[in-house]
Amino acid sequence: MRVFFVILVCKLLHFIGKLIGKGSSLPGKYALKLDRNILKKIKMPEYIIAVTGSNGKTSTVEMIAHILQSGGKTVAYNKEGSNQIEGVTTFILCNSTMRGKVKSDILLIESDERFAQYTFKYFQPTHYVITNLYRDQLTRNGHPEWVYDCLKNSIYDNTQLILNADDPLVSCFGYGRENVVYFGADKLSVSHEKNNSAYNDGIFCPNCKHRLSYEYYHYNHIGKYNCPFCGLKRNDTQFTVTSADLDKGEITINGNSKITLALKSLYNVYNILAAYSVCTIAGIKEETICKSINNYVLKNGRVIEFSLGNRHGTLITSKHENSVSYDQSLRLAADDKNGCDVLIIVDAISRKYFTSDVSWLWDIDFELLASENVGEIVLAGLYSADLKTRFEFTGIDENKIKEYSSITEAAEYLKTNSDRKLYVITCFSDKGKFLGLVREEKQ
């Protein structure tokens, strides 16, 4: 009777919340107040797949859900994006019967990397995907190794880990453990021998703190590494990108599974590979995976096509305070051989807390925009002057750079000055301010 009542309250609050446009955390918050152990009392399905990491969680979860559904599975997942314990509680209870049984074949959970330790006290994933650990929201998350310690508390012996072998810190979760599957990429045409990022978080071994040796880098600290002192190394991978042509937008996994990319980004390739790995483990056939994910366009609002005057544009949502996210978006624009202009907006750093710290701008490889493929670069928003100061150290011709504190004024200028492709790079907190000025294109 107690379970019935808690689920009823949660479902009613969720229904009311949807009517008035409120978030998805509140119903779970009240459910946990009524019964802190309610998640222990829910009958879970055979597969509980969790995804966490600094970047790519939402996109990876969306693709996993799409593949599983294409393979005939019913899937419950937190598509509303609320990934701390209150939000996870909401979506689990709302996808359960009144007697407390999850109605789907598979429970798929996007979990915040810091708060997973609290969610998984009450139940444990059967399969746990960890995508990466990067510098991310310094005000909130501190150093990646501190996040690692938080995340380690969410891992239990009965859970199979599915780890990004190319991230040294993530690979440490599998150190000395048997129930682990690794995914990663072989040396590709876009790989390089030296770290060419603004910083190098892969310089020291996360296990023994001695200097790591790299055979090659894909980007930032992601690549093939080994530690001559403690033996930590890039593990052999069961799921591998064996070739990639980002110009054509094609990748091959395990030598035979070919997938065409809607978003020609190595960053996106890792999300696809993570989804491919866990769905294969969950019993979906390779041909079904490739067919369902081929040219797949994300529906989560991370990438949006729009029109501004005569321009066609792509808005890429990059996490403020996360330099790796920005680097991959900048690289996408810099590699566009058809030519483009770029608008970068930093107007509010976070939706969740106030900070005016812009030190993270110095971790971003804005030097990538020195590419001959990039025409004008427009900087906009409250922090446009801080962006302009950062760009003074890039070596990019200052005549190519314009600054507007007003997003509206920047959009008006870009509407009339050219018909070249436009890339807009900004965060969740600011994308609506720009999209309100343009026409979104249906895909």
Side-chain angles (χ1 to χ4, degrees), residues 1-200:
M1 185 64 182
R2 178 79 170 178
V3 171
F4 176 92
F5 177 70
V6 175
I7 293 175
L8 176 63
V9 169
C10 186
K11 289 189 175 189
L12 284 173
L13 289 175
H14 186 244
F15 175 76
I16 294 169
K18 289 180 73 173
L19 290 178
I20 61 177
K22 292 293 184 181
S24 56
S25 294
L26 192 62
K29 180 179 179 180
Y30 280 101
L32 291 167
K33 283 184 179 294
L34 290 170
D35 187 344
R36 172 53 60 178
N37 295 307
I38 185 63
L39 293 179
K40 286 184 177 180
K41 301 172 183 178
I42 301 299
K43 182 172 176 53
M44 300 292 183
E46 178 183 359
Y47 284 97
I48 306 172
I49 299 170
V51 180
T52 195
S54 299
N55 289 354
K57 298 184 290 291
T58 303
S59 298
T60 301
V61 164
E62 181 185 316
M63 287 190 282
I64 292 170
H66 177 71
I67 294 168
L68 293 173
Q69 290 164 349
S70 298
K73 305 291 186 181
T74 56
V75 184
Y77 72 104
N78 45 341
K79 64 181 68 176
E80 294 175 340
S82 189
N83 58 16
Q84 296 181 15
I85 184 170
E86 295 86 359
V88 171
T89 301
T90 297
F91 101 85
I92 290 178
L93 297 188
C94 288
N95 283 280
S96 297
T97 66
M98 298 307 296
R99 293 187 176 184
K101 179 182 178 181
V102 173
K103 294 181 283 188
S104 302
D105 299 326
I106 296 175
L107 188 62
L108 174 59
I109 301 167
E110 175 191 336
S111 181
D112 179 278
E113 59 272 24
R114 281 199 307 144
F115 291 91
Q117 59 183 316
Y118 305 115
T119 301
F120 299 139
K121 283 196 306 183
Y122 302 100
F123 67 97
Q124 285 78 53
T126 57
H127 301 82
Y128 202 170
V129 181
I130 304 178
T131 59
N132 47 63
L133 287 175
Y134 302 140
R135 298 188 186 198
D136 179 44
Q137 296 178 300
L138 179 64
T139 310
R140 248 181 107 239
N141 291 336
H143 195 275
E145 291 193 6
W146 180 75
V147 177
Y148 173 92
D149 290 337
C150 294
L151 192 49
K152 192 173 183 179
N153 294 329
S154 72
I155 297 173
Y156 293 82
D157 291 340
N158 59 337
T159 297
Q160 182 176 56
L161 298 182
I162 302 164
L163 303 179
N164 182 353
D166 299 342
D167 186 320
L169 189 55
V170 168
S171 73
C172 287
F173 290 117
Y175 200 62
R177 184 184 174 106
E178 293 184 359
N179 195 16
V180 184
V181 172
Y182 293 97
F183 63 89
D186 285 345
K187 189 173 185 180
L188 307 171
S189 60
V190 294
S191 304
H192 38 90
E193 293 183 0
K194 294 183 179 180
N195 185 312
N196 55 13
S197 304
Y199 63 90
N200 186 0

Side-chain angles (χ1 to χ4, degrees), residues 57 174 214 234 313 355 360 417:
K57 298 184 290 291
Y214 272 78
R234 191 262 197 189
T355 176
W360 50 277
N417 77 319

Side-chain angles (χ1 to χ4, degrees), residues 287-299:
E287 55 266 33
T288 301
I289 298 174
C290 293
K291 183 178 179 181
S292 63
I293 211 68
N294 204 51
N295 266 320
Y296 182 75
V297 177
L298 292 168
K299 311 297 190 297

Side-chain angles (χ1 to χ4, degrees), residues 388-406:
K388 184 71 180 300
T389 300
R390 170 66 180 91
F391 268 83
E392 289 174 0
F393 290 82
T394 61
I396 298 173
D397 183 357
E398 63 179 16
N399 294 316
K400 295 177 63 174
I401 301 169
K402 293 191 179 299
E403 177 201 343
Y404 293 91
S405 59
S406 166

Side-chain angles (χ1 to χ4, degrees), residues 320 343-349 356 358 360-362 366 377-392 401-407 409-410 430:
H320 286 349
L343 168 62
I344 301 170
I345 302 172
V346 182
D347 193 64
I349 293 173
S356 57
V358 291
W360 50 277
L361 293 176
W362 296 86
F366 288 116
I377 301 167
V378 178
L379 313 175
L382 181 63
Y383 297 93
S384 60
D386 296 282
L387 278 167
K388 184 71 180 300
T389 300
R390 170 66 180 91
F391 268 83
E392 289 174 0
I401 301 169
K402 293 191 179 299
E403 177 201 343
Y404 293 91
S405 59
S406 166
I407 298 171
E409 289 180 13
D430 293 336

